[in-house]
Amino acid sequence: MEDCYDAHLYFANWGTRRVILRWPATVLPLAVARTYCAGGSATSRQSGPHVLITLTSDPEDCVEDFEDLFGLGLGLDHEYAEDRSQEWLPSITRAREQVAEGDLRLLYLAWLLGLRNDEFDDGEHEPPVPPGLAQLPEPLSDLATFLRIDEDLVEAAARNSPHPAPRPSLGACRAWAAALAPKEKDRVLAGLLHDEGDQALSVLRRRFLHDQTALASSSTVRTVAEIREESRARAKTRKGHEQRRKALQEEKEAEARKRAEREAQRARDQRVAELQHDPEAAWARVAELLSIRGTRHYPEVVRLLGDLAALAERDGAVRAFAQSYDQFVVAHRTKKALIRKLKAEGPVTATLSKLASD
């Protein structure tokens, strides 16, 4: 990382997750990095011309959490899980590029990581809150998810975050460029031509945005205790909303089950009404279906026997049905799958149990 790479991501199946990011010190001064990354979970250091930050999430007993994040707990094969794991680093790398242009939301998330891990005293104050924390782009949202930074904590912190300035127009860019002195324009253009990467462009864009509008910062600086309290309040509210949503969903599902049961009962009543004219035809149909090799007709057999049981119960002929059913079971006792299905499904068991209780 000190010599070759700008981004590194590490995770282990015992729960450790780590992200290391590197910038030129001309893009991210060490003093700025240390304003946000000065705890155990988020550290910063300078190595030669570069500044590096290391972000670590290392809770205990997170094997299940690891499996959920990378797909290993979803019944996915190992190759697909590896593909999912490789999506994280490209996304988080895009967040690194935003820092180079003056967007410090990544660094504030790094400070929240330390707060989440109880590395600050209640009386300590938060660092400057960058604009746009309430509207995290996908790369920053992925970083927060990867490092297990609570959504409620981010929302609590975002309450003090100013709205981001609108994207400057092309006209504003032209006006700014026209105002540069000729020698300055020559220097900037030469730097863009000479730079093999995006560093010169990032520095230029950062300078332009800084000139357009100073970093909006809130006049209210909160303590760690205040942010924690608001986070807990948001979590409590979210939990209440989730419980109400779950209760409403369960109510809808219960009503749907009742409606399905009523419809199934109406369909059965209609079949039983048709069956009463010739119940022996139903027994013959059962025998015909069972004469066919295989188990694919078992559901229809179970339905027909259930209808016969319902007819017998309606007409007070349960005892006669029980005798016929006993003979049926003896005749087909080798069909274990059918017998299990009859015991587990349909009204046959319920009808016979009523006879036993009588």
Side-chain angles (χ1 to χ4, degrees):
M1 283 296 300
E2 292 180 350
D3 297 328
C4 302
Y5 304 110
D6 291 327
H8 169 79
L9 182 142
Y10 168 85
F11 58 88
N13 62 351
W14 53 81
T16 300
R17 302 178 192 174
R18 182 174 298 115
V19 175
I20 306 176
L21 301 172
R22 186 183 76 161
W23 293 268
T26 54
V27 169
L28 178 64
L30 180 61
V32 175
R34 282 182 173 171
T35 301
Y36 297 90
C37 305
S41 301
T43 62
S44 57
R45 70 183 192 277
Q46 184 159 355
S47 176
H50 295 101
V51 168
L52 296 86
I53 68 170
T54 301
L55 311 176
T56 305
S57 175
D58 195 13
E60 298 179 358
D61 301 327
C62 274
V63 174
E64 183 178 358
D65 178 64
F66 169 86
E67 292 176 347
D68 289 342
L69 187 61
F70 297 109
L72 299 180
L74 304 176
L76 305 176
D77 57 56
H78 185 68
E79 181 178 354
Y80 181 70
E82 287 183 348
D83 290 341
R84 289 189 66 198
S85 71
Q86 294 171 5
E87 297 173 0
W88 291 99
L89 184 57
S91 178
I92 293 172
T93 301
R94 292 198 298 274
R96 170 190 169 275
E97 296 168 358
Q98 294 166 352
V99 172
E101 297 177 3
D103 185 343
L104 301 184
R105 287 178 292 182
L106 184 151
L107 298 181
Y108 190 90
L109 289 178
W111 181 80
L112 283 182
L113 176 64
L115 190 154
R116 179 202 180 279
N117 293 332
D118 296 324
E119 296 172 1
F120 307 128
D121 296 331
D122 285 347
E124 294 186 55
H125 291 84
E126 65 180 334
V129 185
L133 201 60
Q135 300 90 28
L136 291 181
E138 183 178 356
L140 290 176
S141 180
D142 284 346
L143 178 67
T145 299
F146 183 77
L147 295 173
R148 304 183 181 94
I149 303 174
D150 301 331
E151 183 179 353
D152 298 308
L153 188 59
V154 175
E155 290 182 358
R159 185 181 61 80
N160 223 28
S161 175
H163 291 291
R167 179 180 177 85
S169 65
L170 178 60
C173 295
R174 287 173 174 169
W176 182 81
L180 293 176
K183 288 185 178 181
E184 181 66 8
K185 290 179 183 179
D186 293 343
R187 188 187 67 79
V188 168
L189 184 59
L192 291 174
L193 290 172
H194 181 266
D195 184 25
E196 295 181 357
D198 296 329
Q199 179 180 347
L201 180 60
S202 295
V203 171
L204 181 62
R205 183 173 288 118
R206 182 171 185 165
R207 176 181 169 184
F208 165 69
L209 294 175
H210 182 272
D211 288 347
Q212 292 296 299
T213 175
L215 178 65
S217 59
S218 173
S219 58
T220 304
V221 179
R222 296 165 298 179
T223 64
V224 168
E226 289 172 335
I227 298 176
R228 282 175 176 157
E229 180 60 31
E230 182 165 350
S231 175
R232 285 191 289 265
R234 288 178 178 272
K236 184 177 180 179
T237 301
R238 187 189 301 277
K239 184 177 180 180
H241 290 329
E242 179 62 23
Q243 289 175 341
R244 287 191 291 273
R245 186 203 62 79
K246 185 177 180 181
L248 182 61
Q249 181 65 25
E250 290 175 350
E251 183 179 338
K252 290 181 178 179
E253 291 174 355
E255 181 59 33
R257 285 194 298 270
K258 291 179 181 179
R259 186 165 54 252
E261 290 171 1
R262 289 194 297 267
E263 292 173 356
Q265 186 60 47
R266 281 196 295 269
R268 169 164 291 168
D269 291 343
Q270 183 177 351
R271 294 196 306 269
V272 169
E274 296 171 354
L275 193 64
Q276 66 182 348
H277 302 296
D278 191 5
E280 292 304 321
W283 282 106
R285 177 59 177 166
V286 167
E288 179 186 351
L289 291 172
L290 291 179
S291 67
I292 303 173
R293 187 179 182 85
T295 63
R296 66 184 184 279
H297 296 296
Y298 283 1
E300 186 176 355
V301 170
V302 172
R303 181 183 63 77
L304 285 168
L305 290 174
D307 292 345
L308 287 167
L311 177 63
E313 186 174 351
R314 192 198 70 176
D315 295 344
V318 175
R319 208 169 286 276
F321 170 79
Q323 293 175 354
S324 300
Y325 182 74
D326 288 342
Q327 294 172 5
F328 170 85
V329 171
V330 171
H332 299 284
R333 61 184 179 276
T334 58
K335 297 180 174 64
K336 303 296 184 182
L338 175 62
I339 302 303
R340 286 196 301 269
K341 202 170 186 64
L342 283 166
K343 290 180 178 179
E345 302 178 28
V348 175
T349 303
T351 297
L352 296 179
S353 64
K354 290 179 180 179
L355 178 63
S357 64
D358 292 342

